[in-house]
Amino acid sequence: LNPSSAMGKKGGKKKGKKETEPTEPPHDPGWERAVQSGRWERPPDALPDASSWPTWGALRERILTSCKETSITYSNQLHDAFPAELIKLSPPELVKLELRGSPKLTRFVLSPFIACPKLSHLDLSSCNSLNHVLLQSTSLETVDFSDSQNLVKALVQCKNVHQLNVEGCEHLETLMVWSEELSSLDLTSCSSLRQLELYCPELLPENLKLPNLKPFQAPDPPKHPPIVSMLKEKYADQARKEAERRERDHQNSSSNTVFPHTFHRCAP
């Protein structure tokens, strides 16, 4: 055995394994189909996630902004963040948005007026955790809140809305509607209404059905007297005490005056 050759083998550098570069995960075939069809009907977690691959954020945006219809119904995976993301992207061709039966949706805001410029149909029915809605749109025509039993406040500023469904919204307390097209409205099931403001020139009284509202018990007025009376009483009491003090001082000063108490008759 040649010592030099043995040493060469022992002292030689071992070649390390070549590190493999990360590869992009496979695409879901449904993503491209959604872009081509212009319709998304699956839960939000089926969309590409930027945390899985750097370019998937742009891919997600491409899918959402290319859809004319987005329908995610009865999904436990839909939270407030998804509609907020969608409204922020403001898909230019989106016509219909259905989030019916989303149990974890608590609020929905469509604003400003330029957001989703072609959206005409919005379905937020049977969303049992939904409690606050703000809609500002010039394109919306039909809005459905029916059976969203915990909806408390709804502000609808949509001049072209001609159909508004609030049937089954029994906890709705505040409803404000601005519309130039709304001609009928049924509020008979909204038994908790406390504030109703309707700016709807086409809505005639005979086409407005109001609920049988429970008598509202106004709070008792405060029992303490008005502040003016309290101040008057305070200063009158101070003036009375001051007058009494002056009277005492006057009496004391009078009692200290020296007058002769004995008169001697002078001899003639």
Side-chain angles (χ1 to χ4, degrees), residues 2 33 44-45 51-52 54 62 76 131 140 143 154 222-223 236 245:
N2 189 347
R33 286 199 299 267
D45 67 344
S51 63
S52 300
R62 177 171 173 256
N76 288 321
N131 58 67
L140 268 177
V143 176
K223 295 182 179 180
R245 184 188 64 79

Side-chain angles (χ1 to χ4, degrees), residues 91-105:
E93 301 298 325
L94 184 65
V95 174
K96 180 184 290 188
L97 177 59
E98 296 178 328
L99 304 178
R100 181 173 58 258
S102 302
K104 296 183 179 178
L105 183 66

Side-chain angles (χ1 to χ4, degrees), residues 18-24 53:
K18 187 177 180 181
E19 295 183 0
T20 57
E21 296 182 357
T23 58
E24 182 179 0
W53 190 255

